[in-house]
Amino acid sequence: MSIKRWDPFRDLETLQEDVNKLFQDRFNTPRKSVPAERSWAPVVDVIEDDDNIVVRAELAGMKKEDIDIELTGDTLTIKGERKFENEDKKDNFVRVERVYGKFQRSFTIGVPIKSEEVKAGYKDGVLEISIPKSEEIKPKKVEVAVE
């Protein structure tokens, strides 16, 4: 049995090599590969003022028929599917970076709302949902009486 000198950096080098290999296997796909369907989530802005809560989601490249909005209790759910375009020409792509597939986002509203007055619009790839607050939650001004 021989004595081997311990090198504390050897373990770190091995770990670095393993992590590099993991990322290379995951992200360096062959040039002509078919885009994989991955789960994704659109970016969303939520704006609140005295009267409304407005949710804006970026859904570029989607048709309104592929978007589903549900309001259950105080939970707003946006779900849909971005379909891969040009299925017949998928071998011609050199690089595919846009994400395709199904998504779902849910938000708890947290305040009483008028669910029958919720409106949604879709323009230029942005979905906008306007959720009016209930009258009981809106701030009321109380004047101070001078005696």
Side-chain angles (χ1 to χ4, degrees):
M1 180 168 158
S2 64
I3 297 176
K4 194 172 187 181
R5 185 174 195 160
W6 179 64
D7 181 5
F9 297 106
R10 184 178 305 133
D11 292 337
L12 288 175
E13 288 173 3
T14 303
L15 177 63
Q16 180 68 46
E17 290 170 6
D18 291 344
V19 170
N20 286 343
K21 184 175 180 341
L22 175 71
F23 279 96
Q24 286 173 350
D25 290 347
R26 175 70 175 110
F27 296 112
N28 288 346
T29 56
R31 184 178 163 139
K32 297 287 186 179
S33 69
V34 176
E37 192 171 288
R38 296 179 271 176
S39 64
W40 66 285
V43 292
V44 174
D45 292 333
V46 180
I47 303 113
E48 181 176 5
D49 62 22
D50 291 341
D51 299 323
N52 296 298
I53 296 173
V54 177
V55 178
R56 291 188 186 123
E58 285 188 14
L59 300 173
M62 292 187 64
K63 298 176 184 169
K64 79 174 200 173
E65 300 83 35
D66 296 330
I67 303 167
D68 185 30
I69 304 166
E70 293 178 3
L71 187 60
T72 308
D74 69 341
T75 303
L76 173 71
T77 302
I78 306 168
K79 54 187 169 181
E81 180 176 7
R82 182 183 290 157
K83 296 180 177 132
F84 184 68
E85 304 163 358
N86 301 322
E87 285 288 335
D88 54 332
K89 299 179 184 176
K90 58 181 135 182
D91 290 336
N92 295 336
F93 284 92
V94 174
R95 178 179 298 260
V96 176
E97 293 185 351
R98 295 188 298 164
V99 183
Y100 300 93
K102 296 181 180 183
F103 72 89
Q104 180 171 330
R105 298 283 313 259
S106 293
F107 304 92
T108 302
I109 305 300
V111 296
I113 60 168
K114 298 177 183 176
S115 59
E116 64 280 349
E117 294 180 24
V118 174
K119 294 179 183 168
Y122 186 60
K123 182 179 177 187
D124 297 331
V126 177
L127 173 69
E128 182 172 297
I129 305 167
S130 179
I131 306 166
K133 291 181 180 178
S134 176
E135 295 294 326
E136 62 195 47
I137 196 65
K138 292 182 183 177
K140 293 182 174 81
K141 202 86 156 151
V142 177
E143 294 200 27
V144 177
V146 178
E147 295 177 23

